[in-house]
Amino acid sequence: MSAKSFRRKTAANRGPLYINRIRLGLIFFFLLAIVGSYDAFSPLHFRMTLGAVLLMLAYALLQSYLLRIERSPRYLPYLLILLDLTMNLVVTSSGMLNSTLQAAVVVRAPTLFVANFFYLIYSAFLLSPRFTLFVTAWGAVCLGAVQVIAVAMGVQYSEESARLGTPDQLAASVEVVKIAFFVATGLIVRAVIGLLNDLNDAAVAAAEQAE
């Protein structure tokens, strides 16, 4: 194995460890949010949210154990990031199934939307531009699915809603911009990973020539 490949592999091997630490921190935050907002949950939303978060906790602890004994399959960190995005979709959609008003409120709420950016950004720790691009695409699909569920629940889209503050309507332009912003962020992160890999390769090549 060349020095360049060795250094890149070593850095990528640390990625799953950092990712899982962030994941566990997010799970802790989610559990606090569930406890603090218990009265605001419908029974269905509470069960699905708690179930999704406990599932995340289970596979995060499994990943921690496998990393500690150095038996984690190579594909597992990639799969778990996609599961993170999917669990976020499950939690978001479960809060939209009670009424049109609730669906609009959940789509408008920032917390679950912002969580997608954590998953996107920590996918960069695997140092794979191609995978980060795939995460971007899957995240955009999940965000689009939220809009489809909103439409199915009877939410209407009107540019007047932003000005009038209509609670059961959404501004189509705002929702499109949210998805576009997520995609743009993913493309930027992908470009940064590629740049870092190129700089690493150049540094290794310069070191080898200096020897």
Side-chain angles (χ1 to χ4, degrees), residues 120-150:
L120 173 61
I121 291 171
Y122 69 44
S123 73
F125 294 164
L126 298 176
L127 299 179
S128 171
R130 183 176 299 178
F131 179 67
T132 294
L133 185 62
F134 187 80
V135 169
T136 302
W138 180 240
V141 168
C142 290
L143 291 172
V146 169
Q147 302 300 324
V148 171
I149 295 170

Side-chain angles (χ1 to χ4, degrees), residues 6-192:
F6 177 77
R7 284 186 61 177
R8 184 177 295 181
K9 183 178 180 181
T10 300
N13 285 342
R14 296 194 192 102
L17 178 63
Y18 298 144
I19 289 169
N20 213 49
R21 287 175 179 173
I22 298 171
R23 179 182 290 120
L24 287 168
L26 287 174
I27 291 169
F28 179 72
F29 170 78
F30 291 151
L31 289 173
L32 286 180
I34 291 172
V35 173
S37 306
Y38 175 78
D39 293 337
F41 285 97
S42 68
L44 174 63
H45 190 197
F46 176 78
R47 287 195 298 269
M48 293 189 69
T49 299
L50 184 61
V53 173
L54 291 178
L55 178 59
M56 288 182 68
L57 178 61
Y59 65 67
L61 293 176
L62 174 63
Q63 174 74 326
S64 293
Y65 173 72
L66 292 175
L67 289 171
R68 187 164 58 251
I69 65 173
E70 299 182 351
R71 296 291 298 273
S72 178
R74 188 169 179 270
Y75 65 85
L76 189 59
Y78 301 88
L79 176 62
L80 295 186
I81 291 175
L82 298 178
L83 273 176
D84 289 338
L85 284 164
T86 305
M87 290 300 101
N88 198 56
L89 172 61
V90 170
V91 172
T92 303
S93 60
S94 67
M96 301 170 62
L97 303 178
N98 290 326
S99 65
T100 300
L101 175 59
Q102 187 65 25
V105 169
V106 170
V107 174
R108 197 178 288 114
T111 305
L112 293 172
F113 172 68
V114 170
N116 290 290
F117 287 85
F118 281 93
Y119 309 138
L120 173 61
I121 291 171
Y122 69 44
S123 73
F125 294 164
L126 298 176
L127 299 179
S128 171
R130 183 176 299 178
F131 179 67
T132 294
L133 185 62
F134 187 80
V135 169
T136 302
W138 180 240
V141 168
C142 290
L143 291 172
V146 169
Q147 302 300 324
V148 171
I149 295 170
V151 171
M153 290 300 300
V155 175
Q156 297 183 351
Y157 291 78
S158 169
E159 295 307 312
E160 295 296 314
S161 66
R163 181 173 61 85
L164 299 177
T166 309
D168 59 349
Q169 294 184 355
L170 298 170
S173 60
V174 172
E175 301 309 315
V176 170
V177 167
K178 284 164 63 176
I179 297 175
F181 184 69
F182 178 83
V183 172
T185 301
L187 295 177
I188 292 171
V189 172
R190 175 181 179 272
V192 170

